Amino acid sequence: MVDILVFSIFPIIILGSLGLGGYAMAKEYQVKQKKLDIEMMKLENEAFLLIEKKHALLEETKDESKS
């Protein structure tokens, strides 16, 4: 009777461990993806600011050349 309980509980423990491991990997992937999304937003913002700065400098040089 004890052997049956041990052999029936053992696979459940293994499956539970695999499930927890899979869950942890999925959560880790989500965290990494979120960090990458934040980094991408920062880079997009920086690019936008550089384009705006470029346009402002072009406008400034056009105004200076007209004067």
Side-chain angles (χ1 to χ4, degrees):
M1 181 69 176
V2 174
D3 291 339
I4 294 172
L5 283 175
V6 170
F7 287 118
S8 64
I9 291 174
F10 187 67
I12 292 172
I13 292 171
I14 291 175
L15 289 175
S17 298
L18 289 174
L20 286 175
Y23 176 78
M25 286 177 55
K27 276 296 183 188
E28 183 180 346
Y29 174 78
Q30 286 177 343
V31 168
K32 285 182 181 179
Q33 187 65 39
K34 194 65 160 175
K35 287 180 181 178
L36 288 173
D37 289 344
I38 291 170
E39 186 64 29
M40 187 65 159
M41 287 176 14
K42 287 178 183 178
L43 291 172
E44 288 173 346
N45 188 38
E46 185 178 339
F48 177 77
L49 291 174
L50 287 172
I51 290 170
E52 288 294 314
K53 186 176 181 179
K54 178 184 172 186
H55 286 298
L57 288 172
L58 286 173
E59 287 295 321
E60 188 177 301
T61 56
K62 284 181 184 177
D63 291 342
E64 288 177 1
S65 65
K66 288 181 182 178
S67 300

